[in-house]
Amino acid sequence: MAYDFSEIESKWQKYWLDNRTFAALDPHDAGGMPKAYVLDMFPYPSGQGLHVGHPEGYTATDIVSRYLRMKGVNVLHPMGWDAFGLPAEQYAIKNNVHPRQTTRENIDNFRRQIQSLGLSYDWDREVDTTDPKYYRWTQWIFLQLFNSYFDPINQKAMPIEHLRRELMNQNYVVTPDNEVVINPTTEGMEQLGGEVRVERLWGELSPSEQQQLIDAQRLAYMDEVPVNWCEGLGTVLSNEEVVDGKSEVGGFPVERRPMRQWMLRITAYADRLIKDLELLQWPESLKEMQRNWIGRSEGAEVDFELAGEAASAKPAADEPDEPGDETPVITVFTTRPDTLYGATYMVLAPEHPLVEQITTAQQKQAVDDYRQAVATRSERDRLTVTKEKSGVATGAYAVNPINNEKIPVYIADYVLMGYGTGAIMAVPAHDQRDFDFARKFSLPIKPVVQPVVSAIAPIAGDQNPAQNNSTQTPEKAFEGEGVAIGSPLINGQPTQQAKQTIIKALQADGTGQRSVRYKLRDWLFSRQRYWGEPFPILLDEEGNAHALEESELPLTLPEMDDFKPTGTPEPPLSKAASWTRVQRNGQVFTRETNTMPQWAGSCWYYLRYIDPANDQRFVDKEKERYWMPVDLYVGGVEHAVLHLLYARFWHKVLFDLGHVSSAEPFARLINQGLILGETEFHFFEHEGGKPISVNEITDIHEEATKRGVRLCGTHKPTGEKVYATSVIDALVEKKGQDYVLRSDPSIKVDARAFKMSKSRGNVVNPDQIVEEYGADAFRLYEMYMGPLEAQKPWNTRDIVGMARFLSSVHRNITGDEESNRVVEIVDEPVAEGLERLMHRTIKKVGQDIEALHFNTGIAELIKLNNEMTGLTRMPRELAENFVLMLAPFAPHLAEELWGVLGHNKSLARRPWPTFDPDRMVEASVEVPVQINGKLRDRITIAVDADEAAVFAAAESSPKIKPWIEGKQVKKRLYVPGRLVNMVVQ
RNA sequence: GCCUCCGUGGCGGAAUGGCAGACGCUGCGGACUUAAAAUCCGCUGACUCGAAAGGGUCGUGCCGGUUCGAAUCCGGCCGGAGGCACCA
């Protein structure tokens, strides 16, 4: 009977579903079984359906899951849907259907596609973020965030009530900036006589101040901040969702505008998010991306007082000075406090609040013009690094606290309000940006760091920065470390030590302190869309937020016919008037009408899989402790700073509050490589049609044009922008390292595989592959293409190799009617050579699966199968071991053949075959013989032969003799069982 | 500009200090067949010597180093992919 994959595959898919073959056991049913939580990244069920990239990771985790089950492990391997989100809503608006309906259809399609691949998910645990039974707990977690704060002493999230108590006990006090700090008097820092206490006690605040203070401390808080407003999507976006000034989704322009929004205090966790990366088995590159995104910088804050005239140059319209009103102070953040003596001017961000106050009358017009110009420049322009620095003097001067020198204060757009304090001390000798600015404005450049001269004489051509100490002005700032010069307090100190000395000095006189800053911003958590989780929040008339009771959850979305964006920042939910207005105890409240971003549901889904039906808790404590953390997490690298950062943050909050048992959710993570489209060739040509060799083209990139997406680049010699034309591979040949046109080999062409995209038309549809070759062949091909982590081009032609392998396996066990080949399964021992190969294969395949080296594992199975080809009496032991080893990779065929071998139950939990090391070794072995490291012959020796015997055999070989005759053998090496090498002279 | 990773036949890739190119695709030859498909068997890095059997030389982006021995380790350069980007 022929191998009919479609019949076999649907039969077993049904069997697995009907028999709940892959259901994970709850802890108390698992006995002493070890556990493994094997997880795929949560898919968004898009209308386009599955892409060949999805099954790559899914197949990898499926192979591991199936293998571990056969090894007697209790495996949790779930799948579900991250189903809230913009595309479903946009589709719904366009086609006038409810997003719930679109979402349901998309989920059904995704599930069908995934099930057609024979993936061993425990479908009892399927979750859907848009299900109120699910988002009830998303809202519950939001309330946990709302009802807690980050405690400065314990360095962790604690209930907000704890904060209230500490404030009431006067353990904490409030600074003038409304920060909560430890009461200095309880720290043994009794205030000095006569000095005014600047902190306020809880009791000194009015009730509304108290409320605002508490609200501002919550991990989920509302704030008026400049947000990324995206007109095209009709919503605001988080920093992580904005790429190059455009929305990551859709590429719409994004502008900054101030709005009152929900924020999550992820910055409080910045340090722990960096530090705990050490605990994780993640790719180093991914950890590095998270570290860079968080962007921790250690340095100091330094206060510069305004010099006399500037301080009093306030516009007359200003309120009269209050008693105690001090000279304005500009606080800067620097990572190089050791260069403080080299500060020759200061720069404020144009938006800095002090600008208004310090600008002199003469400079007012120039400053206003500059600020105006900066404000109208688009965000994208400002993001572009321009070589030319711009700025304008404020006319004010500030005093350097270390040497009392007066230095001018500028504003310039190269200083950003959003980082540090929005102000810098400029040290042009040691910062390239400051250097460029100083050159343009003819400001002094004062070197204060001497590069360390290497004791080794500089090699010719080596650019030694130490040569800069001549009188001529250097061309570049020296940004490295060295020894302080021209800085009385620290002269001669190396950079690291100098930094510490300066910080101590500043601290001692109250003009500065140690400080750590982050690039990471708090997470903007509001979206002006309909299709998301509603916030469980009521707003009173003053706009203060009040949490719903847990018993009121879930707060479901109102039924609306019109859920289109309003075109303004007013969210669509505001149109549901009856839903929005809430009366309670005679007071009128409005519901929060923003919804949560798509990332909310995916921040904790891995916890819900553990206990998906629980209606008492988001996850049962005991089950959570059993299953967490996730042992293997596989997904694309595109979530490096979105999902993976957000989820770690939520998990840490839940951990701090005692709701989960592990500090980190995902112990081991692998990024699967992108699957690209088939390789394409392009050649470039001038406007007139004259072809250009690709090595004369630079900056090659894709561009959307009227004729679709085209490859374009810049012609190096002329600077002309040129486009490329696609050529079929028959017109191209390889010449050395390059591909050239057959018709004109002097023209090198561009060869590359592109990311699959609808606009390029190079998307491969998995349904079609499954129909043509079967799911098992598709799975094998995806794994056989190369290492899981590597990016690799798709090549449909290669799949036949896997299809042939599977039908060959089928024939080797069932026989082949067409060629009249009859195979009999016999209870006979396996022939010696084949037996040896079988044991080796068992060992290698197991190792390869554990190391996620599926491509080489499959190669071993192919090799063994090739040796089984032609047998008419198939030993049962060999056939069964082979089928069991094939099962994780090609489960449908394996189950079918398992039945052919006389078994009537699934092999899903049959033990994985074992190997016997004694049966793997041969009595004799062939080893290469090298002379001076070059292969000259091979000899066959007994596997346990001693060195002397091996050398004797090698030297007596007729091919070796000529190489050593008349020469002196200086050294003999024998790597047992591997090789012989002789050094002769 | 900075950070991370990568570079091996016609193609995907294997080998992580010890026989370079496992395994698959492609291509070529053979068997089976009236024929074709399918299947089975063999060859398939380049150059070169030889009638053949069988040899030799070169070869893992380029240049250098360490080592008895390097695709693998070290230094420099070139090319590609990804991330960050006026972050003080």
Side-chain angles (χ1 to χ4, degrees):
Chain A
M1 93 203 107
Y3 166 42
D4 180 350
F5 54 77
S6 19
E7 193 197 313
I8 292 174
E9 288 176 359
S10 47
K11 167 179 158 192
W12 284 100
Q13 282 161 17
K14 184 168 186 308
Y15 175 97
W16 293 327
L17 275 181
D18 291 349
N19 291 278
R20 300 177 58 245
T21 306
F22 306 114
L25 301 174
D26 278 334
H28 58 272
D29 297 324
M33 285 168 90
K35 72 94 184 178
Y37 189 172
V38 181
L39 183 64
D40 293 298
M41 279 192 193
F42 213 23
Y44 173 74
S46 78
Q48 267 103 68
L50 222 54
H51 178 274
V52 289
H54 287 115
E56 189 194 12
Y58 299 166
T59 307
T61 53
D62 191 59
I63 291 167
V64 172
S65 300
R66 287 177 180 271
Y67 169 76
L68 290 176
R69 277 186 212 104
M70 293 171 80
K71 287 285 227 182
V73 176
N74 185 22
V75 176
L76 175 57
H77 187 45
M79 178 48 71
W81 321 108
D82 186 15
F84 273 129
L86 269 174
E89 183 176 342
Q90 278 168 325
Y91 180 89
I93 291 168
K94 217 169 114 195
N95 296 283
N96 205 27
V97 290
H98 197 276
R100 185 180 298 119
Q101 188 189 327
T102 325
T103 302
R104 194 182 306 122
E105 287 165 8
N106 289 348
I107 287 176
D108 287 344
N109 188 41
F110 252 69
R111 191 191 302 102
R112 175 193 63 76
Q113 289 189 301
I114 285 177
Q115 288 182 347
S116 80
L117 298 172
L119 300 166
S120 65
Y121 293 121
D122 179 351
W123 288 105
D124 298 347
R125 295 171 185 265
E126 184 179 348
V127 301
D128 166 4
T129 54
T130 64
D131 182 345
K133 290 202 210 72
Y134 182 91
Y135 71 67
R136 164 188 182 179
W137 297 107
T138 310
Q139 291 170 331
W140 179 84
I141 295 172
F142 178 82
L143 290 183
Q144 300 300 308
L145 288 155
F146 180 77
N147 286 320
S148 52
Y149 76 109
F150 195 83
D151 186 81
I153 298 187
N154 294 298
Q155 284 294 303
K156 64 174 214 174
M158 296 182 80
I160 199 86
E161 282 317 308
H162 181 263
L163 174 65
R164 203 186 299 272
R165 268 200 311 278
E166 293 295 281
L167 282 163
M168 276 155 69
N169 298 340
Q170 305 190 356
N171 287 335
Y172 292 166
V173 291
V174 184
T175 69
D177 312 338
N178 282 324
E179 264 180 70
V180 173
V181 296
I182 302 150
N183 190 343
T185 58
T186 62
E187 272 203 323
M189 290 170 59
E190 206 66 47
Q191 69 253 44
L192 303 167
E195 192 157 309
V196 190
R197 177 167 59 84
V198 289
E199 292 88 5
R200 289 189 294 170
L201 298 170
W202 178 250
E204 295 166 327
L205 303 177
S206 72
S208 105
E209 280 178 317
Q210 288 179 346
Q211 161 106 40
Q212 273 167 23
L213 178 75
I214 291 283
D215 283 352
Q217 296 301 313
R218 298 174 189 272
L219 290 182
Y221 64 99
M222 279 204 272
D223 199 7
E224 173 97 14
V225 284
V227 298
N228 305 298
W229 168 255
C230 179
E231 189 74 49
L233 296 173
T235 184
V236 301
L237 299 170
S238 73
N239 290 334
E240 289 79 5
E241 290 170 309
V242 179
V243 179
D244 290 339
K246 289 184 183 168
S247 62
E248 194 190 27
V249 175
F252 297 104
V254 169
E255 60 174 293
R256 303 289 282 180
R257 62 160 75 170
M259 277 171 72
R260 191 166 160 80
Q261 300 284 305
W262 282 100
M263 307 288 290
L264 299 188
R265 201 177 304 280
I266 190 170
T267 50
Y269 283 83
D271 255 331
R272 278 167 62 189
L273 288 169
I274 289 180
K275 197 154 164 290
D276 286 356
L277 286 171
E278 284 168 31
L279 309 171
L280 305 175
Q281 276 183 69
W282 287 17
E284 198 44 49
S285 58
L286 185 65
K287 291 186 185 182
E288 201 53 36
M289 277 162 77
Q290 292 219 336
R291 283 189 205 107
N292 289 343
W293 189 261
I294 296 166
R296 182 191 152 97
S297 308
E298 260 177 70
E301 276 174 27
V302 187
D303 292 342
F304 286 65
E305 278 191 16
L306 264 290
E309 315 99 77
S312 54
K314 285 189 233 172
D318 220 18
E319 309 135 43
D321 279 4
E322 285 165 23
D325 196 2
E326 294 169 43
T327 328
V329 161
I330 301 174
T331 305
V332 303
F333 173 68
T334 177
T335 55
R336 289 296 297 270
D338 62 304
T339 62
L340 188 49
Y341 286 96
T344 55
Y345 64 101
M346 299 184 78
V347 185
L348 300 183
E351 314 90 313
H352 197 287
L354 271 178
V355 174
E356 195 102 341
Q357 196 181 336
I358 65 170
T359 304
T360 58
Q362 302 97 292
Q363 288 302 105
K364 188 166 185 337
Q365 190 58 45
V367 165
D368 286 351
D369 290 351
Y370 185 74
R371 295 176 89 186
Q372 185 66 35
V374 167
T376 51
R377 278 178 72 187
S378 74
E379 186 71 10
R380 188 161 169 76
D381 280 352
R382 271 198 79 175
L383 279 166
T384 322
V385 182
T386 41
K387 281 213 179 79
E388 199 66 4
K389 291 277 179 289
S390 71
V392 54
T394 60
Y397 286 80
V399 180
N400 186 335
I402 205 79
N403 58 8
N404 292 318
E405 258 174 42
K406 261 174 66 178
I407 54 175
V409 180
Y410 283 74
I411 61 170
D413 67 353
Y414 83 91
V415 173
L416 309 172
M417 196 56 222
Y419 187 77
T421 59
I424 61 158
M425 62 176 208
V427 184
H430 304 293
D431 182 290
Q432 191 58 43
R433 295 155 300 175
D434 297 343
F435 181 90
D436 296 342
F437 189 88
R439 272 299 183 78
K440 171 135 189 205
F441 291 86
S442 305
L443 291 157
I445 296 170
K446 183 183 168 198
V448 291
V449 182
Q450 170 82 58
V452 179
V453 184
S454 162
I456 306 153
I459 306 152
D462 188 23
Q463 282 163 353
N464 190 339
Q467 287 157 349
N468 278 347
N469 58 3
S470 56
T471 44
Q472 70 195 27
T473 330
E475 281 309 303
K476 270 177 76 179
F478 170 66
E479 295 183 326
E481 297 194 356
V483 172
I485 53 167
S487 311
L489 197 59
I490 48 171
N491 275 337
Q493 292 187 12
T495 299
Q496 286 308 320
Q497 191 193 338
K499 285 182 180 176
Q500 303 313 316
T501 314
I502 292 284
I503 290 172
K504 267 184 217 140
L506 294 172
Q507 240 151 4
D509 84 12
T511 49
Q513 58 187 354
R514 184 179 312 282
S515 174
V516 176
R517 294 279 168 166
Y518 302 93
K519 217 170 73 181
L520 182 72
R521 301 273 81 103
D522 274 341
W523 176 12
L524 176 75
F525 201 66
S526 305
R527 295 294 181 277
Q528 290 71 42
R529 302 302 305 212
Y530 172 74
W531 196 228
E533 298 88 346
F535 283 85
I537 290 289
L538 296 175
L539 302 170
D540 65 25
E541 281 156 324
E542 281 84 51
N544 295 316
H546 303 268
L548 292 185
E549 294 298 320
E550 282 181 26
S551 59
E552 297 176 273
L553 303 182
L555 171 64
T556 52
L557 282 166
E559 288 307 321
M560 293 171 72
D561 296 329
D562 172 22
F563 37 79
K564 282 196 243 344
T566 57
T568 70
E570 191 71 14
L573 284 182
S574 61
K575 293 192 265 189
S578 60
W579 181 82
T580 310
R581 241 181 83 92
V582 179
Q583 224 170 9
R584 201 156 287 191
N585 308 326
Q587 217 188 326
V588 176
F589 293 93
T590 332
R591 287 198 197 279
E592 168 64 60
T593 53
N594 285 297
T595 51
M596 298 188 201
Q598 193 182 350
W599 309 106
S602 60
C603 271
W604 73 284
Y605 74 107
Y606 55 91
L607 292 167
R608 191 61 179 171
Y609 282 142
I610 290 171
D611 196 12
N614 195 331
D615 59 4
Q616 299 302 307
R617 261 181 74 81
F618 73 118
V619 59
D620 178 78
K621 273 199 160 180
E622 185 209 353
K623 291 179 185 170
E624 187 276 333
R625 214 172 321 125
Y626 176 81
W627 284 112
M628 287 299 288
V630 173
D631 298 282
L632 177 64
Y633 196 24
V634 175
V637 73
E638 66 272 18
H639 294 119
V641 291
L642 289 156
H643 161 63
L644 287 172
L645 202 57
Y646 296 155
R648 289 181 65 215
F649 161 49
W650 277 36
H651 195 85
K652 286 189 181 304
V653 174
L654 292 171
F655 175 68
D656 287 352
L657 298 177
H659 297 308
V660 298
S661 62
S662 57
E664 283 285 338
F666 314 120
R668 181 174 178 213
L669 181 141
I670 305 285
N671 287 126
Q672 89 236 23
L674 205 61
I675 294 184
L676 304 170
E678 303 216 6
T679 305
E680 298 172 37
F681 299 98
H682 287 86
F683 77 99
F684 285 88
E685 54 190 343
H686 287 290
E687 192 80 46
K690 192 166 164 273
I692 316 167
S693 227
V694 73
N695 47 353
E696 289 182 26
I697 311 288
T698 169
D699 187 30
I700 298 175
H701 63 279
E702 287 182 90
E703 205 177 80
T705 68
K706 278 176 209 138
R707 292 172 49 192
V709 179
R710 296 192 70 190
L711 202 62
C712 68
T714 309
H715 184 225
K716 270 188 270 188
T718 62
E720 183 195 348
K721 185 166 184 185
V722 289
Y723 288 88
T725 306
S726 162
V727 276
I728 56 165
D729 39 351
L731 298 178
V732 168
E733 64 185 345
K734 187 138 188 192
K735 191 177 159 192
Q737 285 289 302
D738 308 296
Y739 289 91
V740 298
L741 286 179
R742 268 184 206 281
S743 54
D744 180 357
S746 71
I747 301 300
K748 292 179 184 167
V749 303
D750 176 86
R752 69 177 67 200
F754 294 89
K755 227 169 139 163
M756 288 191 189
S757 73
K758 245 187 3 192
S759 55
R760 276 210 88 79
N762 61 348
V763 177
V764 177
N765 179 354
D767 283 345
Q768 212 179 319
I769 304 293
V770 167
E771 185 176 338
E772 210 165 321
Y773 300 95
D776 281 339
F778 178 53
R779 292 166 56 111
L780 280 175
Y781 174 64
E782 290 241 347
M783 294 298 99
Y784 196 66
M785 287 168 79
L788 181 61
E789 298 91 330
Q791 192 171 102
K792 44 215 168 247
W794 179 269
N795 188 354
T796 298
R797 208 172 46 187
D798 283 347
I799 301 174
V800 297
M802 297 301 107
R804 283 181 198 154
F805 164 60
L806 291 176
S807 21
S808 166
V809 169
H810 189 260
R811 276 193 303 274
N812 283 344
I813 288 172
T814 65
D816 182 14
E817 283 171 353
E818 243 182 294
S819 60
N820 288 322
R821 180 174 162 211
V822 178
V823 174
E824 205 183 333
I825 306 293
V826 292
D827 289 305
E828 285 173 10
V830 188
E832 199 199 327
L834 199 50
E835 187 191 40
R836 201 154 43 227
L837 183 61
M838 180 182 81
H839 284 282
R840 285 179 181 176
T841 306
I842 294 169
K843 182 178 180 199
K844 185 72 164 54
V845 172
Q847 279 175 348
D848 281 348
I849 293 176
E850 283 170 32
L852 312 181
H853 294 165
F854 307 114
N855 52 338
T856 52
I858 295 168
E860 296 304 313
L861 290 174
I862 295 174
K863 259 200 286 198
L864 180 55
N865 180 63
N866 287 346
E867 292 306 312
M868 289 159 67
T869 300
L871 291 186
T872 48
R873 298 177 64 78
M874 178 63 67
R876 172 170 299 278
E877 185 194 4
L878 177 58
E880 294 200 342
N881 281 343
F882 189 89
V883 167
L884 291 172
M885 282 193 281
L886 181 68
F889 300 94
H892 308 90
L893 177 61
E895 289 275 22
E896 183 69 15
L897 293 177
W898 191 243
V900 169
L901 291 170
H903 302 275
N904 52 18
K905 271 178 70 180
S906 164
L907 52 61
R909 286 170 207 277
R910 291 294 295 209
W912 183 256
T914 52
F915 61 90
D916 180 351
D918 292 340
R919 297 192 185 218
M920 284 167 39
V921 290
E922 253 173 304
S924 61
V925 61
E926 192 188 65
V927 294
V929 181
Q930 296 181 339
I931 303 293
N932 294 340
K934 278 195 180 358
L935 176 71
R936 296 301 172 187
D937 194 19
R938 293 171 228 269
I939 54 169
T940 302
I941 54 161
V943 78
D944 52 357
D946 64 359
E947 273 195 40
V950 173
F951 291 135
E955 283 169 32
S956 63
S957 143
K959 280 189 196 159
I960 293 301
K961 270 188 181 162
W963 291 100
I964 52 176
E965 246 158 45
K967 288 172 186 147
Q968 195 191 350
V969 179
K970 297 197 77 171
K971 199 168 175 181
R972 294 180 174 85
L973 283 118
Y974 176 53
V975 185
R978 305 271 334 195
L979 119 166
V980 178
N981 188 17
M982 286 185 279
V983 186
V984 301
Q985 216 173 27

